[in-house]
Amino acid sequence: MSRELPPTAGLPLRLSDWLPGASGFDRALATWLGVESVQLECSGTSAMVIALQAMHQLRPDRDEVIVPAWTCPLVALAIHRAGLTIRLCDLAPDHFDMDAQQIASLAGAQTLAIVPTHLGGRLADVDAALHVARACGAYVLEDAAQALGARQFGQSVGLRGDAGFFSLAVGKGLTTFEGGILVTRDATLRRAFAENSRKLARPSARWTLQRALELFGYTLAYRPSLLSWFYGRPLRKALAAGDPVAAVGDDFDIDIPMHPLGRWRQSVGAHALARLSPFMETTRQQAWRRLASLRPLPGLTVFSDARGNEGVWPFLMLLMPSQEKRDAALRDLWTAGLGVSRLFIHALPDYGYLRDIVPSAALPQARDFAARSLTITNSPWLTDEEFDHILATLQRVLRDA
Ligand SMILES: *Cc1c(COP(=O)(O)O)cnc(C)c1O
């Protein structure tokens, strides 16, 4: 297959992004986000480890972290790496966000942090988490890995809670191949994060070189004519082998590299950041247009923004009326090269490799969401004809008895 679309709308890099001269990626990001300073890390996961450990040092009598039961497996690995205990919160019915009542029933004197999670650029209810956290003395750490650039009432996500982090991994918008951004407005936390980062993120020439080469590879290969080699073929191979976890890249290494974000990659990021706002505007307009075509489909739930929220649009997140219909749609679309995919395959306890880390629990809503959801790329490379083909497939599947 020649043409292959990525599952998310990543900002393409240019060779000119590699020219020297751009400095101050951290300052540019801070200005762009509207925060005093940011702390750069080598991944969102590593930012999360550093934040949680620093919080634990400030409140050593607390060691539980409440997270949505349907989220990135790296979140479980980060909590484990920080030496803390995972408490899974089920989702609200038909929603990706945590059930507010269950947050309240899980939280208590042991709770170190609650992690509202802005998935796929859509905003989570941070206030619900804050309400519970303030009552029990826990922190709120916003997982905004998939929401760099999202705003609520004009303010960046990640700043309403006590701290927040963003991911610069491949597939999450702006990328340095791997990277993470930690933000907080709390001076005590900011000092603790910086100190902890100096201890945990040790310079490594090997990682600096490897990641620079990987980012250069991304610069060359992130285009529809080459993505089948790096994305489509491995995906189809994994699906043919009956391994959807590998197909979506949910099969993470338990080991979490921790090192500084290399200078050269920061310079590439600084160049690319200058194009991020117009790119986000293009993808936002495309998303709203396409959501309007999806909304009338019977039985389909589309996720959008409530009043005052301005999310970002890496992909469109959809919930089908049943697993059968979701799977029927994916049978035609997942391997078609059109950027239709799934987000997380399982609720956290259902990943085999997390068995020793994540407690098992009932979690009916998280499992239901995993079974019925799918995503459509919002890459500008997805043409209107291609989108119409996806739309027609969904229409047919939803109509069939
Ligand atoms: C990707 C992701 C992370 C981890 O970020 P990395 O930069 O990939 O380490 C954390 N949480 C969520 C929801 C994610 O999607």
Side-chain angles (χ1 to χ4, degrees), residues 13 15 215-223 226:
L13 294 180
L15 283 173
L215 185 63
F216 194 70
Y218 170 91
T219 308
L220 300 177
Y222 191 73
R223 58 198 70 217
L226 291 177

XYZ file of all heavy atoms in Angstrom, residues 13 15 215-223 226:
102
model
N 7.441 17.761 10.851
C 8.666 18.549 11.002
C 9.270 18.805 9.626
O 8.965 18.105 8.658
C 9.668 17.822 11.896
C 9.237 17.665 13.360
C 10.313 16.938 14.156
C 8.917 19.011 14.001
N 13.034 19.805 7.466
C 14.496 19.749 7.604
C 15.033 21.053 8.176
O 15.991 21.065 8.943
C 15.137 19.443 6.251
C 15.039 17.963 5.848
C 15.536 17.765 4.422
C 15.829 17.081 6.824
N 14.285 11.259 16.107
C 13.528 12.450 15.698
C 13.853 12.820 14.246
O 12.974 13.254 13.500
C 13.823 13.628 16.634
C 12.991 14.893 16.363
C 11.498 14.626 16.579
C 13.444 16.058 17.242
N 15.098 12.620 13.853
C 15.459 12.890 12.463
C 14.711 11.915 11.543
O 14.181 12.305 10.497
C 16.974 12.786 12.262
C 17.422 13.366 10.964
C 17.380 14.734 10.759
C 17.865 12.548 9.937
C 17.770 15.293 9.533
C 18.257 13.089 8.715
C 18.218 14.460 8.521
N 14.638 10.665 11.944
C 13.873 9.676 11.175
C 12.408 10.089 11.044
O 11.812 9.979 9.970
N 11.848 10.585 12.128
C 10.458 11.065 12.088
C 10.315 12.209 11.088
O 9.363 12.260 10.311
C 10.037 11.508 13.498
C 8.712 12.246 13.571
C 7.519 11.548 13.780
C 8.647 13.635 13.452
C 6.304 12.224 13.854
C 7.444 14.319 13.529
C 6.277 13.619 13.726
O 5.080 14.276 13.799
N 11.289 13.125 11.110
C 11.254 14.278 10.197
C 11.154 13.797 8.746
O 10.406 14.351 7.947
C 12.533 15.128 10.375
O 12.690 15.441 11.752
C 12.458 16.412 9.563
N 11.883 12.726 8.435
C 11.895 12.212 7.063
C 10.674 11.352 6.752
O 10.129 11.395 5.651
C 13.162 11.380 6.822
C 14.499 12.096 6.987
C 15.644 11.112 6.783
C 14.606 13.271 6.011
N 10.235 10.549 7.719
C 9.281 9.480 7.411
C 7.824 9.830 7.710
O 6.923 9.107 7.303
C 9.659 8.220 8.199
N 7.601 10.936 8.422
C 6.218 11.259 8.788
C 5.529 11.945 7.617
O 5.448 13.161 7.527
C 6.197 12.148 10.038
C 4.816 12.312 10.649
C 4.213 11.272 11.350
C 4.111 13.508 10.512
C 2.954 11.416 11.902
C 2.848 13.657 11.070
C 2.274 12.610 11.762
O 1.020 12.746 12.308
N 5.095 11.126 6.683
C 4.379 11.596 5.506
C 3.620 10.403 4.939
O 4.050 9.253 5.077
C 5.336 12.207 4.489
C 6.442 11.275 4.016
C 7.587 12.050 3.362
N 8.337 12.821 4.347
C 8.854 14.039 4.129
N 8.722 14.618 2.964
N 9.501 14.669 5.070
N 5.328 7.418 3.170
C 6.292 6.543 3.850
C 5.739 5.876 5.103
O 6.339 4.944 5.635
C 7.554 7.344 4.221
C 8.413 7.784 3.035
C 9.585 8.629 3.509
C 8.914 6.570 2.259
